[in-house]
Amino acid sequence: MQDAETVSKDFIRDIIDDDLRTNKYQGRVHTRFPPEPNGYLHIGHAKSICLNFGIAQDYKGLCNLRFDDTNPAKEEEEYVQSIKDNVKWLGFDWEDRLFFASDYFQQMYEYAVQLIKAEKAYVDDQTADKIAETRGNLTTPGTNSLYRDRTVQENLDLFEGMKAGVFADGQKVLRAKIDMSHPNLNMRDPIMYRILHATHHNTGDEWCIYPMYDWAHGLEDSIERITHSICTLEFENHRPLYDWFLDALGVYHPQQIEFARLNLTFTVMSKRLLLQLVDEGLVAGWDDPRLPTISGMRRRGYSPSSIRTFCKRIGVAKFNSMVDFEFLEYCVREDLNKTAPRFMGVLRPLKVVLENYPEGRTEELDAVNNPEDPSMGSRKIPFSKVLYIEQDDFMENPPKDFYRLAPGREVRLRYAYFIKCTNVVKKDGKVVELHCTYDPATKGGYAPDGRKVKSTIHWVSADQAVTAEVRLYDRLFTIKDPAGEKGRDFKQFLNPTSLEVLSDCKVEPAVQALKSSDRLQFERLGYFCVDPETTPQHLVFNRTVELRDSWVKKQKASQKT
Ligand code: ATP
Ligand code: MG
């Protein structure tokens, strides 16, 4: 699978090119995507997936899917499954290279023993709090633990005891013996193992000591013979430690490379925060279409190729920045414009009776399925005496710049006829029905006498219309960076009107042929998809994105200023 756009080079690919030139890894390129199965993946992970699997594709190398499951936590199985589904759905394949960090626990343990024997690791009895306290800070060196000079034999015995379950949680840790006055705080005797009497989703109760991220990650990369270990910027000052561990062991040594994580406006992108929204019922689950999760975007109707295009276009950089949510929507819209079949549907129906149309007659009119792609053909849509149009396509007292239907005014019904409004029926002051006449000579939408109308509106024939539920989504948050407000809970910024459910929408009968997750355009209303909750008796559509292109407008506006 390759996107049409040419692959643009970035600093990571430049490094790989250099390594290939110098034959650093014997011509191999081997990356990995290493999620921790503690939540569903989000669009930031999609960037990492596209980067790691994309590099493997470009260089005819390999990319592993590796679960970084060094932390025993609950419900991991569900997360593992969702992550596998998401990566596949995005269009990538790990073939037979699915790994779990927990499969390496024994090997990691043996490596730790090796470091103890080399006097490069020791068991410390201090509490985690005490260890943090004595670490010092940027201007003050840390202080050595009283236990730092234990003999090798004592350390080996204690570490074995830790593994055997002799000690309680938190009673002891294994630390690397590096330098308590190192300018990089990560190098001040970091913790390698902690005691945790917890059941692990993969290894059960076999282990009660669990490796820390910095210790484990490089080992995982080394064991899998990864060449380029790509991670996000916050690990930049962990790289000396990554290197130290591998050098101290004298094992195969991949290169860690850091890039800037993706941040998107009007959302949050940390699994910890997303979990709160899910757990507290503030959204309808991990696949809520308002969430930036891959499952949510999929349910909302985003296509995998639009997400890949987005990830490619935002590029790979060394500095953190915020990407406009509108740019993601732009990529989605661009893709759907080419691929989504058009239909007509009315969200808020207003009944229209054509006074001069014969009672009981039905015509079949031709409609184009996608003007962008003639190969998608055409379909028939029924037309009869009673129709529905959109409530806001009519105004009883229109202002000057309103060109749609109004008393005495003529408009075009898409693919059908010109109609003219002759009478307005009201109930309790509210417009409930329009009476119109149609001009039989304008079939197909053009007047033989050359007269023009100022607008074309969509409609659905009432007799054949199918009732549907439509879910409209707005931004989940009201501000650009809800997690970035110091001292404020991000949930305060949830948008109370991010979901609007319309239950009495009328759609043309042809949509009944669509299947769950199919994508479509309702003309003039936006792109939609069939929600998985749809049944033959109850159609449910999610609006993916509106048609209006605010991104392009915004770009133009910013160019002017
Ligand atoms: P979160 O903070 O959202 O939970 P994480 O970094 O803890 O993210 P992991 O499961 O550890 O999540 O990440 C798997 C991979 O995805 C890592 O290589 C990580 O660097 C990358 N990744 C995570 N978030 C982003 C992001 N916003 N942009 C780019 N890459 C990301
Ligand atoms: Mg994490």
Side-chain angles (χ1 to χ4, degrees):
M1 176 212 65
Q2 272 284 337
D3 290 308
E5 247 161 283
T6 54
V7 181
S8 58
K9 289 276 168 163
D10 51 61
F11 78 94
I12 297 180
R13 287 177 167 86
D14 290 341
I15 293 173
I16 295 173
D17 288 340
D18 275 346
D19 291 345
L20 287 173
R21 243 189 315 276
T22 59
N23 208 27
K24 187 166 167 194
Y25 302 102
Q26 291 76 47
R28 289 190 309 121
V29 175
H30 198 153
T31 56
R32 85 287 173 261
F33 172 63
E36 187 184 341
N38 60 347
Y40 278 57
L41 299 181
H42 50 62
I43 182 84
H45 295 110
K47 175 174 178 178
S48 177
I49 293 167
C50 290
L51 184 60
N52 282 294
F53 281 94
I55 283 175
Q57 280 174 353
D58 294 349
Y59 290 92
K60 303 201 177 3
L62 301 171
C63 181
N64 297 354
L65 174 60
R66 179 207 306 149
F67 286 98
D68 206 343
D69 59 349
T70 51
N71 238 332
K74 275 191 220 133
E75 293 174 320
E76 285 189 348
E77 276 309 327
E78 180 196 345
Y79 298 140
V80 166
Q81 196 49 50
S82 72
I83 291 170
K84 283 159 63 176
D85 289 348
N86 286 166
V87 174
K88 274 196 199 139
W89 179 78
L90 273 176
F92 298 104
D93 186 2
W94 57 85
E95 297 168 324
D96 59 350
R97 294 176 311 282
L98 171 66
F99 300 111
F100 289 85
S102 55
D103 288 339
Y104 312 138
F105 280 170
Q106 180 60 33
Q107 171 86 70
M108 290 178 188
Y109 178 79
E110 286 164 22
Y111 279 141
V113 169
Q114 189 186 328
L115 283 199
I116 293 174
K117 286 181 177 162
E119 294 188 64
K120 287 176 177 167
Y122 63 98
V123 173
D124 194 344
D125 295 4
Q126 297 182 116
T127 61
D129 284 348
K130 184 76 184 166
I131 290 171
E133 250 171 65
T134 53
R135 204 161 75 132
N137 54 39
L138 288 176
T139 50
T140 326
T143 40
N144 284 355
S145 166
L146 284 179
Y147 304 96
R148 198 173 195 263
D149 294 318
R150 278 177 159 151
T151 64
V152 167
Q153 194 53 51
E154 200 181 348
N155 281 319
L156 286 175
D157 291 345
L158 287 171
F159 188 47
E160 203 181 316
M162 282 169 66
K163 175 178 185 265
V166 174
F167 306 110
D169 288 2
Q171 220 183 324
K172 291 191 167 29
V173 293
L174 184 74
R175 296 177 76 178
K177 196 169 180 176
I178 307 179
D179 180 359
M180 286 306 289
S181 52
H182 199 285
N184 181 335
L185 269 67
N186 294 317
M187 301 293 275
R188 294 186 185 171
D189 292 11
I191 297 175
M192 295 164 59
Y193 277 95
R194 62 203 164 126
I195 301 172
L196 244 151
H197 291 268
T199 304
H200 185 280
H201 80 116
N202 194 19
T203 57
D205 295 321
E206 197 184 335
W207 295 88
C208 63
I209 54 170
Y210 288 95
M212 302 299 286
Y213 180 90
D214 283 328
W215 163 244
H217 202 85
L219 299 182
E220 297 157 22
D221 289 339
S222 175
I223 292 166
E224 293 176 15
R225 301 191 73 76
I226 297 304
T227 56
H228 301 86
S229 172
I230 301 167
C231 61
T232 42
L233 274 189
E234 64 279 17
F235 291 101
E236 192 164 20
N237 54 17
H238 293 242
R239 182 167 10 105
L241 183 55
Y242 181 101
D243 292 337
W244 188 91
F245 280 133
L246 295 176
D247 288 342
L249 291 167
V251 293
Y252 170 80
H253 194 150
Q255 181 181 357
Q256 176 180 306
I257 305 171
E258 310 85 19
F259 73 102
R261 62 170 50 229
L262 165 65
N263 299 302
L264 257 195
T265 56
F266 297 102
T267 191
V268 293
M269 209 108 85
S270 140
K271 281 179 278 186
R272 191 175 52 80
L273 302 184
L274 295 172
L275 181 65
Q276 285 182 44
L277 297 176
V278 173
D279 276 354
E280 295 174 28
L282 297 166
V283 292
W286 283 102
D287 67 347
D288 189 299
R290 291 167 292 179
L291 289 180
T293 54
I294 297 177
S295 299
M297 292 182 168
R298 173 182 186 172
R299 186 159 181 190
R300 181 140 175 187
Y302 290 17
S303 64
S305 79
S306 62
I307 295 177
R308 291 197 303 267
T309 303
F310 169 76
C311 290
K312 192 173 285 179
R313 288 184 181 160
I314 55 176
V316 186
K318 264 283 186 192
F319 47 89
N320 282 314
S321 66
M322 188 80 113
V323 175
D324 274 319
F325 193 79
E326 288 95 331
F327 183 61
L328 174 59
E329 293 194 316
Y330 169 85
C331 296
V332 170
R333 198 182 283 119
E334 185 187 62
D335 181 63
L336 293 178
N337 181 38
K338 286 183 237 146
T339 55
R342 274 57 165 168
F343 291 95
M344 287 207 282
V346 172
L347 294 182
R348 297 172 185 86
L350 172 61
K351 197 171 164 186
V352 171
V353 179
L354 300 179
E355 289 177 320
N356 60 338
Y357 196 86
E359 197 86 46
R361 176 165 149 195
T362 303
E363 282 178 83
E364 299 268 286
L365 303 175
D366 287 313
V368 174
N369 287 336
N370 187 346
E372 301 288 322
D373 182 359
S375 76
M376 289 173 78
S378 64
R379 67 186 186 287
K380 299 280 186 196
I381 40 176
F383 185 85
S384 59
K385 186 176 177 75
V386 183
L387 312 168
Y388 293 114
I389 64 165
E390 208 68 62
Q391 282 170 19
D392 62 12
D393 278 336
F394 172 81
M395 279 186 95
E396 199 179 6
N397 300 299
K400 252 207 171 105
D401 54 356
F402 184 87
Y403 299 117
R404 290 165 277 165
L405 201 58
R409 190 180 293 166
E410 192 171 50
V411 297
R412 176 188 295 111
L413 294 180
R414 179 94 164 132
Y415 299 123
Y417 298 96
F418 286 6
I419 61 166
K420 186 180 209 167
C421 179
T422 51
N423 194 17
V424 180
V425 182
K426 292 209 262 187
K427 202 173 158 191
D428 304 327
K430 199 175 165 256
V431 177
V432 291
E433 187 176 308
L434 302 179
H435 288 194
C436 298
T437 54
Y438 88 113
D439 177 357
T442 59
K443 186 167 179 172
Y446 295 95
D449 62 8
R451 78 180 187 279
K452 297 262 188 290
V453 287
K454 282 204 168 138
S455 81
T456 302
I457 64 174
H458 60 275
W459 54 274
V460 174
S461 172
D463 271 350
Q464 296 83 3
V466 181
T467 302
E469 175 178 323
V470 174
R471 300 175 185 166
L472 304 178
Y473 302 100
D474 194 359
R475 290 169 172 149
L476 187 53
F477 292 94
T478 53
I479 62 168
K480 278 195 173 176
D481 186 13
E485 292 292 308
K486 291 248 153 31
R488 306 275 302 268
D489 181 1
F490 75 105
K491 285 172 289 186
Q492 288 181 327
F493 304 106
L494 277 166
N495 176 2
T497 57
S498 58
L499 169 64
E500 185 181 4
V501 179
L502 302 174
S503 54
D504 191 33
C505 307
K506 303 291 182 187
V507 299
E508 64 167 279
V511 298
Q512 285 171 298
L514 296 174
K515 299 181 308 296
S516 175
S517 301
D518 278 354
R519 305 181 187 93
L520 65 150
Q521 183 191 105
F522 280 126
E523 295 212 17
R524 298 180 64 230
L525 299 172
Y527 295 99
F528 294 77
C529 73
V530 181
D531 190 83
E533 283 176 1
T534 285
T535 64
Q537 290 73 36
H538 184 67
L539 295 181
V540 183
F541 295 95
N542 295 314
R543 178 149 69 188
T544 309
V545 64
E546 289 179 68
L547 295 178
R548 178 175 44 88
D549 201 338
S550 53
W551 168 253
V552 169
K553 230 190 257 167
K554 202 166 156 178
Q555 289 305 97
K556 281 190 183 140
S558 71
Q559 276 160 16
K560 266 182 213 154
T561 53

